[in-house]
Amino acid sequence: MEKDTKRHAPLLLILSSPSGAGKSSLAREVMSRDPEIQFSVSATTRPPRPGEVEGKHYYFMSREQFEEKIENGEMLEYAEVFGNLYGTPLAPVEKSLADGRDIIFDVDWQGGDQIRECALKKHVVSVFVLPPSISELHQRLRTRAQDSDEVIERRMRQSRQEISHWKNYDYLLINRDINRACKEFESIICAERMKRKRWTMASQFVDKLNDEFEELWHERDISAG
């Protein structure tokens, strides 16, 4: 998916869903197709899962370190989920915006609410990802084999509460198939990039067209004379 970096103001793309609905897979797939989209790496106080890399999947820190960043105003958003703190460091987001890059946030509804209400909210586009069914959601949590049965059941109980926040989002995606969901997400991104309010060079482009009109009429007047 091509991007005209000179055309539109950068987007803050919020992706939220209940655990297992596929928002992380969706984010990874879309970023693999569009290198101009950057992933916002979250910070967390939970321990790393097998295969997770510091600075790539999460910034892993102690609760004391995390709370210090909150106190210093260094977190764009944060929330406590299942006994662990999660949040978005502010500095990398500000740098990405300054560089004109779109950013994907893989956050829960609490994080989504905070980003929508922050000082950068004019850049926000929010998408809630739904599973095709609750039985499929349960199966996906079991198939990924990252959590114990107890944690899976706790995530399932939490899912209903998470899904109840769907009305707060701009768009809904039902993730029946990752390829179809990616195409739909890319369509959302394309449409948002094309909105008039985000065309940072719109006035200059239209002025250029008007200049060409003037040149055309001038040439015709000379030829007629």
Side-chain angles (χ1 to χ4, degrees):
M1 184 168 56
E2 293 185 359
K3 173 184 176 180
D4 184 347
T5 55
K6 295 182 180 180
R7 175 181 294 174
H8 76 275
L11 305 175
L12 301 184
L13 299 160
I14 299 173
L15 272 183
S16 300
S17 76
S19 296
K23 68 180 184 299
S24 298
S25 297
L26 182 59
R28 287 194 298 269
E29 184 63 26
V30 168
M31 286 189 296
S32 73
R33 302 182 187 191
D34 189 340
E36 292 301 324
I37 299 178
Q38 181 172 320
F39 184 69
S40 175
V41 180
S42 297
T44 182
T45 59
R46 75 158 171 78
R49 291 171 179 159
E52 289 185 329
V53 178
E54 167 71 21
K56 179 180 179 181
H57 298 99
Y58 283 97
Y59 297 113
F60 297 99
M61 59 184 65
S62 68
R63 178 171 283 268
E64 291 75 17
Q65 290 173 317
F66 198 110
E67 290 175 344
E68 182 178 355
K69 287 187 175 294
I70 294 174
E71 182 69 21
N72 293 336
E74 298 175 26
M75 302 299 289
L76 177 63
E77 57 82 25
Y78 61 91
E80 184 162 355
V81 182
F82 300 129
N84 292 300
L85 291 169
Y86 293 81
T88 302
L90 178 59
V93 173
E94 291 179 329
K95 179 165 189 317
S96 293
L97 286 176
D99 293 340
R101 301 189 67 180
D102 298 331
I103 313 166
I104 289 183
F105 296 84
D106 180 347
V107 296
D108 69 358
W109 65 268
Q110 298 174 83
D113 281 352
Q114 291 179 55
I115 296 173
R116 273 191 296 270
E117 296 303 319
C118 76
L120 305 173
K121 61 184 178 182
K122 69 178 182 179
H123 297 280
V124 170
V125 177
S126 59
V127 181
F128 198 88
V129 183
L130 293 166
S133 68
I134 299 306
S135 60
E136 176 67 17
L137 181 67
H138 189 241
Q139 181 60 32
R140 289 178 185 178
L141 286 173
R142 289 196 171 279
T143 300
R144 73 184 190 180
Q146 292 181 337
D147 300 307
S148 66
D149 288 345
E150 180 183 354
V151 171
I152 289 173
E153 291 308 311
R154 186 171 61 183
R155 290 187 184 281
M156 286 297 298
R157 288 194 297 271
Q158 185 71 15
S159 292
R160 185 170 188 174
Q161 198 270 341
E162 291 171 336
I163 290 174
S164 71
H165 295 274
W166 65 273
K167 291 183 180 180
N168 296 337
Y169 288 73
D170 299 318
Y171 298 92
L172 297 177
L173 284 181
I174 301 176
N175 185 16
R176 298 182 178 89
D177 171 80
I178 188 64
N179 288 325
R180 177 178 173 181
C182 279
K183 289 179 181 178
E184 292 174 343
F185 188 28
E186 287 176 331
S187 295
I188 291 169
I189 295 170
C190 183
E192 289 292 335
R193 285 173 172 173
M194 296 293 289
K195 281 188 173 179
R196 179 183 55 78
K197 68 179 182 179
R198 292 199 172 93
W199 275 46
T200 56
M201 303 295 290
S203 293
Q204 292 91 325
F205 186 77
V206 173
D207 286 345
K208 177 177 177 293
L209 294 178
N210 285 325
D211 288 342
E212 291 177 13
F213 270 126
E214 293 299 325
E215 291 175 6
L216 178 62
W217 305 145
H218 181 65
E219 290 173 0
R220 287 187 175 182
D221 288 343
I222 293 176
S223 298

